[in-house]
Amino acid sequence: MDGDQAERGANCVEIGQAPGLVGIRDTKNRDGGTLVVGRAAFGAFLTAVKTNRLG
């Protein structure tokens, strides 16, 4: 996401990676902490999103 989108109030998410882990942080709410999940769980989540199986 570029700075213009952020200034217009769009949601911003940063995703960082460490060996075996993925960290996800909402850049609009820096006090909210970081969600840390295993790579396998994150991969399963992405697959579910891509195939629209979350509901």
Side-chain angles (χ1 to χ4, degrees), residues 11-54:
N11 293 329
C12 298
V13 175
E14 291 178 347
I15 299 176
Q17 298 181 16
L21 297 175
V22 175
I24 305 166
R25 180 173 65 140
D26 178 355
T27 61
K28 295 286 186 178
N29 181 13
R30 294 194 183 272
D31 295 330
T34 300
L35 173 65
V36 178
V37 297
R39 284 187 174 272
F42 186 68
F45 171 73
L46 288 181
T47 298
V49 168
K50 290 176 183 177
T51 58
N52 198 23
R53 288 187 278 156
L54 287 179

